[in-house]
Amino acid sequence: MPTDPYAWIEESLATIHRADWYRSVQAINERPGSTVMLEGREVINFASNDYLGLAGDDRLIQAAIAATKEFGTGATGSRLLSGHRELHRQLESAIASLKQTEDALVFSSGYLANLGAIASLVGKRDLILSDQYNHSSLKNGAILSSATILDYPHSDIENLKNQLHQHRQQYRRCLIITDSVFSMDGDVCQLPKLLDLAEEFSCMVLVDEAHATGVLGANGAGCVEHFRCTKKPIIQIGTLSKALGSLGGYVAGTKALIDLLRNRAPSWIYTTGLSPADTAAALTAIAIIQQEPSLRANLWKNVAYLKQLISQQLPQLKLLPSESAILCFQLNNPTEALKVGQKLKDAGIFAPAIRPPTVPTSRIRISMMATHEIGHIERLVEALSYIN
Ligand SMILES: *Cc1c(COP(=O)(O)O)cnc(C)c1O
């Protein structure tokens, strides 16, 4: 009797279950916001990447509806064939203006932007140095590129420098890749130091601004602006799906870089253009980010208030260092993290447990929003104090 070649699937699932690594989806009904209907019950939302509350904003919704009525639901083809619209170019100009770069290119997601950019920039004869805590899309982009990949311990600049000393010479091009705000920790990369090393060792630098765009920097341009590095040679990646409340990704940089990507990035060339609705919503979000700095100010006020309450009332909480709108506290194992996540949910607080293999250690991850009210933050702290 030959064995069932698919039997391993059930066995793998059983292993995932035993480790408490099993994941499943939960449905949110109605519009997203600082409170959401989670499986029929209203909870305060600390689980979303919608930092400015724009995903449920009427102005984005109206822009998406208007664009759908005018241009239809789908782009009908890849950008180089039938899928290009004026609206795409307008969005790319708006991103370049927000980022103060020469040009930008929109992809169907941030994940695809990373795959396409990294695979276009380096190849077999090249070297990638990658922060150990980088997002999955950076890591898989590196694998797709066929370059040699060396990880450095999280934000360990000394180690990175040593590796460059040891290995840089043996390769043609070198690319340093990093999250700007680390998505599952909330800390920020040491961009000025990375740029100094890049200059010393003749490396390109690619930063993923997914959790920083619309959030960090005087004008919401991200971590690059926050560190006043806007004029430095940097390849910036980002997403339209977090603070911008839509769907899609982008690369921002020099005209030549963008021109090269349009000719070389497989995840841009061989995929359908962004839908008119997503494009118009993102375009509206960028206008709001530029015109309403008060949204960002509210977000930072909320982050500061939560940190203040935790330090006063819950000093025992093991908070990870954070300079973003993401606050995490550590738990001893996945089982405990799941239990705390469930207790929070019972108390009307939606803040997910993040477990291996996404992160090395289990934690509860809290994402703050500009639209959280004082009472929402106080209820979170109250719930946390019962659990601890
Ligand atoms: C979310 C995220 C992405 C992926 O963006 P999508 O537009 O959701 O595909 C890429 N990089 C980082 C750091 C992220 O957090």
Side-chain angles (χ1 to χ4, degrees):
M1 254 300 270
T3 52
D4 174 2
Y6 299 96
W8 67 272
I9 295 176
E10 302 277 340
E11 288 155 19
S12 287
L13 276 170
T15 307
I16 292 169
H17 269 294
R18 271 196 302 277
D20 262 335
W21 285 16
Y22 185 77
R23 304 138 184 252
S24 56
V25 297
Q26 322 174 54
I28 285 178
N29 321 115
E30 305 177 16
R31 272 196 208 182
S34 57
T35 61
V36 285
M37 294 302 289
L38 179 64
E39 291 165 341
R41 192 161 142 261
E42 188 176 286
V43 291
I44 306 171
N45 186 9
F46 293 100
S48 109
N49 299 316
D50 184 22
Y51 297 109
L52 303 176
L54 293 179
D57 190 288
D58 271 318
R59 293 165 291 182
L60 272 71
I61 294 169
Q62 289 312 321
I65 292 170
T68 303
K69 284 190 172 153
E70 191 170 354
F71 303 110
T73 48
T76 77
S78 70
R79 292 277 294 281
L80 291 173
L81 289 177
S82 60
H84 178 65
R85 306 285 176 272
E86 265 316 303
L87 209 51
H88 291 134
R89 206 48 207 149
Q90 284 169 27
L91 175 58
E92 288 166 346
S93 299
I95 293 166
S97 133
L98 175 70
K99 295 278 177 178
Q100 299 283 298
T101 56
E102 286 177 10
D103 206 350
L105 187 66
V106 293
F107 286 71
S108 301
S109 76
Y111 207 112
L112 290 170
N114 271 324
L115 295 186
I118 298 170
S120 302
L121 290 165
V122 286
K124 278 196 185 66
R125 296 155 64 195
D126 305 321
L127 176 65
I128 289 176
L129 282 147
S130 172
D131 189 292
Q132 178 196 6
Y133 283 10
N134 276 342
H135 188 262
S136 158
S137 55
L138 290 166
K139 294 184 173 177
N140 279 325
I143 294 168
L144 185 64
S145 77
S146 306
T148 298
I149 306 162
L150 297 173
D151 280 355
Y152 56 92
H154 179 48
S155 278
D156 188 339
I157 300 293
E158 268 316 297
N159 181 289
L160 171 59
K161 186 172 183 171
N162 289 339
Q163 297 209 52
L164 282 167
H165 261 302
Q166 214 177 329
H167 304 289
R168 171 68 185 95
Q169 279 181 351
Q170 287 109 59
Y171 296 90
R172 180 182 59 169
R173 296 195 279 268
C174 179
L175 176 68
I176 300 172
I177 58 176
T178 184
D179 283 23
S180 69
V181 167
F182 285 89
S183 57
M184 293 299 142
D185 296 78
D187 60 336
V188 168
C189 75
Q190 303 184 61
L191 185 61
K193 289 184 185 168
L194 293 176
L195 290 170
D196 286 346
L197 283 183
E199 205 182 311
E200 186 180 342
F201 291 93
S202 182
C203 307
M204 303 177 281
V205 174
L206 181 149
V207 295
D208 183 339
E209 295 268 49
H211 292 275
T213 302
V215 174
L216 278 170
N219 299 293
C223 196
V224 172
E225 184 187 36
H226 168 77
F227 283 118
R228 298 172 207 280
C229 294
T230 305
K231 294 291 163 226
K232 301 266 178 146
I234 303 171
I235 297 154
Q236 297 184 52
I237 309 284
T239 176
L240 308 175
S241 355
K242 286 169 179 151
L244 302 187
S246 180
L247 178 68
Y250 62 81
V251 180
T254 63
K255 257 191 187 338
L257 168 75
I258 299 306
D259 215 14
L260 180 80
L261 293 179
R262 273 193 295 258
N263 287 278
R264 201 178 257 184
S267 63
W268 186 81
I269 297 172
Y270 302 105
T271 197
T272 302
L274 219 56
S275 79
D278 290 324
T279 312
L283 194 53
T284 305
I286 291 178
I288 293 171
I289 282 169
Q290 291 179 314
Q291 287 154 19
E292 293 180 22
S294 61
L295 270 179
R296 218 155 39 248
N298 269 345
L299 174 64
W300 289 109
K301 210 174 71 192
N302 285 343
V303 171
Y305 187 52
L306 176 61
K307 281 184 173 172
Q308 182 201 332
L309 289 185
I310 289 179
S311 74
Q312 285 168 355
Q313 298 177 27
L314 300 165
Q316 75 279 17
L317 219 59
K318 284 184 250 169
L319 270 191
L320 297 177
S322 160
E323 298 127 278
S324 68
I326 301 164
L327 285 170
C328 296
F329 59 93
Q330 258 181 309
L331 293 156
N332 294 323
N333 53 58
T335 314
E336 200 179 309
L338 280 181
K339 210 160 67 191
V340 172
Q342 185 57 49
K343 280 188 180 168
L344 286 172
K345 201 154 79 169
D346 295 342
I349 304 286
F350 185 24
I354 310 287
R355 293 164 286 159
T358 306
V359 287
T361 56
S362 297
R363 65 203 61 184
I364 295 288
R365 179 172 180 269
I366 298 162
S367 293
M368 297 302 293
M369 296 176 69
T371 48
H372 279 136
E373 293 163 14
I374 297 281
H376 293 153
I377 300 168
E378 290 171 352
R379 274 196 46 205
L380 167 65
V381 173
E382 193 184 55
L384 287 173
S385 68
Y386 283 131
I387 286 159
N388 266 261

